[in-house]
Structures are given as structure tokens and as C-alpha cells.
């Protein structure tokens, strides 16, 4: 009886965790649907983490998903095949040297890509030319400057700042989320609408505590430890104190906040 | 024709500004409704800015709105009378010395009050005793640490930090929004649910650019200039540069973000 109860509890807890992982996918993607027959270019698909959601949600659209890495594309191909999805074609390609003609696509989707580019407006302008007039671009980016939490902690901010600095040194911008609106406007898109997608985590949302605060955000920060120490931008005790403080926000009285930004713009007639 | 067009345009622009002011009220209050006959205590009503929204949205509930300042209460009384609302009774009172017995109210509403208190949990515990078991408390607070913008600017953050420091010196906490969940839990409320209410402003939302970024947030920061200089926590050129940078975010390529937190908890049987 007691064991059954425990199992029952675990099953419910598991379901809740799954629900909250799904909640995050919904938060970012629920309002992205492409109509039957539309040609969609996904730029920087990586291992297909977003591709699978896109392809499932718009089963009658035809996706072309590109990435610079053949190794990532292999993983993405397997993921899509295992999901029995047949509406995705993968292709190796660099955003600055794409083998597509003007107006080849109805829509373009770019998620967590611009943050890595030194010239995001130039990249968006290139993508603009690939979209037929009236088609759309959808851009999703995070912003590490949107991170705040309780208890607040200086070392935690310093550890996050390491990730921001390292990404900047590599030519990227970990604070790009807030710039999605001006970037899309600068690249010539019309009717640009940006909406923030805030992830709010407290103990009443255990799936997000584990799935987002601990295993997504804090794990990402922990992942730059070696690079940050090697770059000499922080010392080990301070970095480790920062990571401990991030874990501290996952306790019963902790709170963690992060915001993604999603923008949609319409391609205008090409000049 | 051209003048008519200009008038038409102005009328539409005005409507849009009004809509966006209404959008902010909606963002905070749209999900607060009290049923017919319920007794609601509003704590710290000030000049009635929230009272009028509460009383309109729940015309069959009876509000008791208290504030420490008789001058504010006079203004609030006039505002409510001008709006022909008859379901609000005003009363002078201090949250730490209220003239109400246990379980006197079905619901309590507290907006932008806890940020000024040195002992917020104690205040919430006092309010808890005034609510019948099963009744609710609603708490809304801002969080200045949730502020970020484009273009980013160090002096702007320093100017905002002045407001945070001055409020802390006065015993308050301008970063309290993120703590609404743990505060309500610490005060013994059950089923606490907190939801963030993020205000995202870019040039596609001109009413918020003017009504929120410029006239609400930046005006508030400008308002602490004398106190900040007198306290010696910043020099005038840096403060003024910070304010200019906040205004800079209202230009066509600017973005401004701020988040309010709304929490609801249920009063449990009193110990």
C-alpha cells in the first residue's frame, strides 16, 4: 500500500517534471505553426533539439534544416528518423555562404544562433533575401542579463558574467535577447513584433527547479569553469561560490528568473 | 483634409496611448475579481490609484481601504467619489496596529507596500490573522533588479542603484518582487502561486515607451536625484548620464524591460 503510494507519487512527480519540460517548449514554440506546403528554412539546427518540435507542430510544412557541423547534422538526422518525421531535409551550410537563391523560402526560423555571431544584422539581411516578400522570420534568443534570483549573490553574478565575457571574446553576445527588435528592424523586416518569454521558477514548480535552474542554466555556467579560469577572468573560489549560490536558489525559499525573447518580422519586397 | 487626417491620426494615437495604459492595469489586475458580498481589505491604498481599479472590477464586493496618511486618504476619497463608486470605505490605519479582529475579511490586497517595510513577513503574518481560513491574500510588488535595457549603460544601472540604496537606507527593499513567493510561504499562507508580469517596451509600443519607460520608471529614478547627491552615493555628472541613458532607451532602436510579481496565497486555519 505504502509502496504503491510511493510509486503513484513518483509517477505523478515524473509526469509533473515532463509537463514542465513541455511547458518550456510551449513557452517558446507554441505560437509557431507553418501552413501546409510552406517551405521553411531552419538555420543552425544543431542536433535537432528545436527541429523535432518544429517538424511535429507543422507536419505539412517542408523544413530545410542547416548547420555548419556535419557531426551535429548526423545526430539531428537520427533524432528525426527515430521520431518517424519525414518533412525535414538536412543540409550542411554556413549562414554567410548559403546555396539558396533569393525568395527560396516562405519562412525562416533562427533559434539560439544570433548570440554566436559577430555580425547578426548582416546574417539577418542575408536571410531576408532568402524569404519571399510577405514571408516571415522568427528569431528566438536568450539574454543572460535577464537573470536574477533569490537569494541574490554577487559571486553568482560574477560567474554568469564569465559566460558573458567568454562569449563576447568569441565574437558573440550573451545579452542579445533584448536586441531582437532593433536587429530585425535594422535588417529591413517589417511589422516586427517581439514578445518576452520569461521563465519564473520557485519551489511550487519543481520541474523547472530541476529542469531549468539546475540542469539548464546552472549547468551551462558550470560548463565554462575551465575556460573562465584559463582566461584568468575569475578565481576558482569565487567561481565555485557563484555556482553554489545558483544551486542555493533551488532550495525551498529560492527563486530564479530568466527571459527569452521571440521576435517575428515580415520580409518586404527586396530592393 | 490634411488637418482632418492629422486629427484622425492624433485620435488614433491617443487611443493607442490609452490602450497601453489600460494594458498595464490589465497586466497587473485583470485576474483579480472578488465575489459579491466579500469583504476585502486593501492595505496601503495611498491616493487610491489601485483602489479605483479594484472597486470597479468587483462592484459587488465591499472594500475597506486603509493608509497611514490622512492626506492621501482625502485624495483617494475624492477619486472614488468622482468615479461614483460606493463600495469603498476609507480608514486611517497602520499595518502594524490595525483595529480589526481575527478573520474580519475574506480577502486582503497589498500592492506596492511590502517594498517599504523593514519587516514584511511580520506584516504578512498580521494580515494572515485578519483573513478567514480559506480566504486569500494578493500581493503585487515591483523589482528594480529586473530592469535591463538596450542600449545597455553602466551609468543608468548606477542611477537605478541609487534608488535601491536609498530605499534600503529607509528600511525598504526595492528588489522585493522576486521574494513574493518565499515571503508568503514564510507568513504561513498555503497554495502560494506567484506569476511574473513583465513589461516589455520597444518602439512598436509607443504608449509604453511614453507611459512606462519615460513617465513611470525614468521619472521615478530622476525623482531621487537630490537625495542621492545629498547622500553622497553618486556624483551629479554620473547620475545625469544615467538618466540620459534611460531616456536613450526610448528611441526607435531602444528596448526597456521591467517585471512586477503578483502572488496569491490562501489563509490557513489559524494556529
Amino acid at each position: 500500500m505504502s509502496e504503491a503510494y510511493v510509486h503513484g507519487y513518483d509517477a505523478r512527480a515524473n509526469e509533473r517534471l515532463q509537463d514542465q519540460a513541455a511547458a518550456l517548449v510551449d513557452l517558446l514554440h507554441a505560437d509557431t505553426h507553418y501552413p501546409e506546403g510552406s517551405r521553411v528554412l531552419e538555420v543552425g539546427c544543431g542536433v535537432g533539439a528545436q527541429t523535432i518540435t518544429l517538424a511535429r507542430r507543422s507536419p505539412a510544412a517542408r523544413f530545410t534544416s542547416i548547420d555548419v557541423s556535419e557531426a551535429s547534422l548526423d545526430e539531428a538526422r537520427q533524432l528525426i528518423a527515430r521520431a518517424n518525421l519525414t518533412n525535414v531535409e538536412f543540409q550542411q551550410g554556413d549562414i554567410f555562404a548559403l546555396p539558396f537563391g533569393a525568395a527560396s523560402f516562405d519562412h525562416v526560423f533562427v533559434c539560439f544562433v544570433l548570440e554566436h555571431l559577430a555580425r547578426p544584422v548582416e546574417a539577418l539581411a542575408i536571410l531576408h533575401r532568402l524569404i519571399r516578400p510577405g514571408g516571415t522570420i522568427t528569431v528566438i534568443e536568450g539574454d543572460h542579463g535577464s537573470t536574477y534570483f533569490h537569494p541574490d549573490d554577487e559571486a553568482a553574478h560574477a560567474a554568469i558574467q564569465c559566460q558573458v565575457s567568454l562569449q563576447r571574446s568569441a565574437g558573440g553576445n550573451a545579452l542579445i535577447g533584448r536586441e531582437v527588435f532593433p536587429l530585425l528592424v535594422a535588417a529591413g523586416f517589417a511589422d516586427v513584433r517581439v514578445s518576452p518569454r520569461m521563465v519564473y521558477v520557485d519551489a511550487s514548480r519543481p520541474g523547472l527547479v530541476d529542469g531549468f535552474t539546475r540542469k539548464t542554466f546552472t549547468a551551462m555556467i558550470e560548463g565554462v569553469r575551465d575556460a573562465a579560469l584559463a582566461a584568468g577572468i575569475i578565481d576558482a573560489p569565487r567561481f565555485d561560490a557563484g555556482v553554489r549560490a545558483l544551486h542555493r536558489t533551488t532550495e525551498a525559499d529560492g527563486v530564479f528568473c530568466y527571459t527569452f525573447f521571440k521576435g517575428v518580422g515580415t520580409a518586404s519586397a527586396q530592393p
Side-chain angles (χ1 to χ4, degrees), chain A:
Chain A
M1 179 78 182
S2 143
E3 198 183 326
Y5 176 77
V6 168
H7 282 162
Y9 181 83
D10 282 347
R12 279 199 307 280
N14 252 331
E15 210 170 274
R16 195 164 51 168
L17 292 178
Q18 296 274 342
D19 283 355
Q20 291 180 356
L24 196 60
V25 170
D26 268 356
L27 181 76
L28 298 183
H29 303 298
D31 52 351
T32 296
H33 295 281
Y34 297 112
E36 183 173 347
S38 53
R39 303 154 300 166
V40 184
L41 174 66
E42 183 196 13
V43 178
C45 63
V47 298
Q50 318 296 333
T51 314
I52 193 163
T53 299
L54 288 179
R56 272 193 181 135
R57 285 179 177 265
S58 300
R62 290 172 292 139
F63 293 88
T64 302
S65 295
I66 64 159
D67 202 88
V68 284
S69 158
E70 280 288 4
S72 293
L73 287 170
D74 280 344
E75 280 197 56
R77 277 191 194 96
Q78 289 172 35
L79 185 71
I80 294 300
R82 277 198 304 273
N84 293 317
L85 291 164
T86 56
N87 57 335
V88 185
E89 191 177 291
F90 290 97
Q91 198 167 325
Q92 198 274 339
D94 181 312
I95 192 169
F96 290 104
L98 291 172
F100 307 115
S104 298
F105 296 95
D106 299 299
H107 305 286
V108 166
F109 180 88
V110 192
C111 185
F112 308 147
V113 169
L114 299 183
E115 59 165 324
H116 301 296
L117 304 180
R119 297 168 292 162
V121 172
E122 196 174 312
L124 288 172
I126 287 170
L127 296 175
H128 195 169
R129 286 192 289 275
L130 301 184
I131 308 171
R132 65 158 170 82
T136 68
I137 190 165
T138 298
V139 174
I140 302 177
E141 295 290 341
D143 189 318
H144 292 359
S146 73
T147 314
Y148 53 98
F149 35 83
H150 174 76
D152 202 2
D153 185 272
E154 281 301 324
H157 287 289
I160 295 166
Q161 187 55 41
C162 289
Q163 207 285 336
V164 173
S165 300
L166 290 167
Q167 193 159 343
R168 187 174 296 137
S169 302
N173 179 5
L175 313 177
I176 203 169
R178 73 191 73 176
E179 294 187 44
V180 167
F181 178 83
L183 291 171
L184 285 169
V185 170
F189 289 97
D191 301 327
V192 176
R193 293 296 293 176
V194 169
S195 57
R197 313 286 163 116
M198 182 170 170
V199 185
Y200 168 80
V201 188
D202 65 29
S204 73
R205 309 174 192 227
L208 289 175
V209 170
D210 191 58
F212 189 77
T213 308
R214 198 175 283 133
K215 291 184 180 156
T216 301
F217 188 84
T218 305
M220 173 194 64
I221 298 301
E222 285 179 287
V224 303
R225 186 180 190 276
D226 291 350
L229 297 180
I233 54 178
I234 198 166
D235 59 38
R238 185 159 166 81
F239 188 89
D240 295 341
V243 168
R244 277 196 304 276
L246 289 174
H247 280 290
R248 170 68 184 82
T249 72
T250 66
E251 293 183 22
D253 64 347
V255 172
F256 187 87
C257 301
Y258 187 90
T259 299
F260 298 93
F261 291 81
K262 181 170 186 171
V264 178
T266 301
S268 30
Q270 301 297 316

